[in-house]
Amino acid sequence: MCGVSRGAAQPPGVFEELAMASIPTTAHLQAFEAVARRRSFALAASELHLTASAVSHQVAKLEAQLGVRLFERSAHGVRLSRPGQAYLERVGGALAAIVSATEDLRHSMSNSLYVHCAPSIASLWLMPRLRDFARACPHIALNLSAAHSHSDFALGQADIDIRYGIAQWPDLEVEPLFEERVLPLASPAFVAEHGLARVQQLLHVPLIQSNVSIVQWSDWFLAFTPLRAPERFAVRFDRAQMSLDAATQGLGVALESAMNAGGHIADGRLVAPFGMEQALRVKAHFAVYPTRNAHRPAVAAFLAWLHGEAARTEQQPRRHGID
């Protein structure tokens, strides 16, 4: 029937050939690519939100399926074998093409925008302003995630990443958002209880350490006092939100961004015992995204709104008479 004799052998179609080739699963390929790029099973696992053993298991399955060793493992870490390097050069481009095609299709079907953000700025600064963005751009469906780990644009995890740290992200567009003032902050009750008026007194009261801050107590002491910062702290946190909450509860003096603490300062929960001028000024928050995303209307709209809010944030202290 249809011009083909009943017993004639038919050449395999494209999909039949793919099935015969036994293509590795996407999960196995993503694990391989992440380990190859990060040179670490632990870092790849963190990026993929898996355990290191799960990533190692996926790579081992891929190696068994291919019949070659993709990595050379040693006490110093992992590195690609020669076959692994050759495979990455072919597979890496294919994965990037899949991500790009998926993103283009997703954005053509909806006005969704995926934003990844450092946790503290997400809760303390961005969330209180999102209602204004929703009003300004009601046609954009915003999806927000927050974590200390950066979004991997190669995997299509986000359209924009609001990152905290030192701007060292090659091959990405990096836009600073605002200048922050990092300074000692404490509750009014704590200041009154300890009669806190001179910086020398910091050596005799509990200090709160924010482990993730790029400005540490040693930096502040060096800039504003002849004293050496203490090496032990009352409590330590890995979130600015937790450091600020601890300070409001009277656990000690926090060294935090006045931008993050804007709400705490405005309603009187925290004060700057030595004045707002005793602050180190830094640019530590950045809007980061791949160049390919710049042409997307939703990305452009969010960036324009974001910079507008950042500019208003820098002006607020002067308007409220804090400086």
Side-chain angles (χ1 to χ4, degrees), residues 11 15 30 55 72 104 121 127 179 235 245 267 271 308 316:
F15 291 106
Q30 286 182 324
V55 172
E72 301 293 342
D104 288 344
I121 190 177
M127 283 293 293
E179 183 180 74
V235 286
D245 288 345
D267 62 17
V271 295
Q316 281 173 358

Side-chain angles (χ1 to χ4, degrees), residues 26-263:
T26 304
H28 292 169
L29 293 175
Q30 286 182 324
F32 162 67
E33 189 276 339
V35 174
R37 178 164 37 81
R38 303 301 294 270
R39 298 292 193 269
S40 165
F41 281 94
L43 292 177
S46 176
E47 178 180 299
L48 298 173
H49 304 291
L50 299 171
T51 64
S53 61
V55 172
S56 179
H57 188 61
Q58 289 180 345
V59 170
K61 279 191 170 183
L62 179 61
E63 290 179 322
Q65 183 178 1
L66 297 176
V68 297
R69 183 171 290 279
L70 298 171
F71 294 100
E72 301 293 342
R73 298 159 175 83
S74 70
H76 302 291
V78 295
R79 62 183 181 87
L80 284 166
S81 64
R82 184 171 295 178
Q85 182 63 48
Y87 193 55
L88 177 65
E89 292 173 2
R90 302 285 298 275
V91 171
L95 285 174
I98 292 172
V99 169
S100 180
T102 302
E103 285 186 342
D104 288 344
L105 179 61
R106 172 163 59 85
H107 285 88
S108 68
M109 298 299 292
S110 70
N111 284 322
S112 295
L113 180 69
Y114 291 79
V115 176
H116 187 268
C117 194
S120 292
I121 190 177
S123 60
L124 293 169
W125 186 83
L126 186 59
M127 283 293 293
R129 292 167 169 78
L130 285 184
R131 186 179 180 185
D132 292 336
F133 177 74
R135 287 175 174 173
C137 303
H139 58 289
I140 297 177
L142 180 65
N143 300 270
L144 178 64
S145 62
H148 278 312
S149 58
H150 297 156
S151 178
D152 188 343
F153 293 111
L155 298 179
Q157 294 176 339
D159 301 310
I160 301 171
D161 197 351
I162 301 177
R163 296 183 179 179
Y164 176 79
I166 299 172
Q168 295 178 338
W169 305 296
D171 303 322
L172 293 172
E173 300 295 328
V174 179
E175 301 180 6
L177 293 180
F178 30 54
E179 183 180 74
E180 300 174 56
R181 294 172 300 167
V182 181
L183 71 167
L185 297 168
S187 71
F190 183 92
V191 173
E193 176 186 353
H194 295 276
L196 202 57
R198 295 175 290 108
V199 295
Q200 290 83 353
Q201 293 173 275
L202 289 175
L203 296 178
H204 308 292
V205 298
L207 299 184
I208 298 169
Q209 169 77 344
S210 182
N211 293 334
V212 297
S213 176
I214 65 171
V215 177
Q216 295 293 303
W217 275 110
S218 57
D219 302 314
W220 189 88
F221 268 81
L222 183 63
F224 294 104
T225 79
L227 307 172
R228 183 176 179 179
E231 297 181 357
R232 298 186 64 185
F233 300 94
V235 286
R236 295 172 178 265
F237 298 104
D238 66 351
R239 298 283 193 281
Q241 173 76 67
M242 297 173 70
S243 296
L244 293 170
D245 288 345
T248 62
Q249 294 168 20
L251 269 69
V253 182
L255 183 69
E256 287 292 347
S257 162
M259 184 274 300
N260 276 339

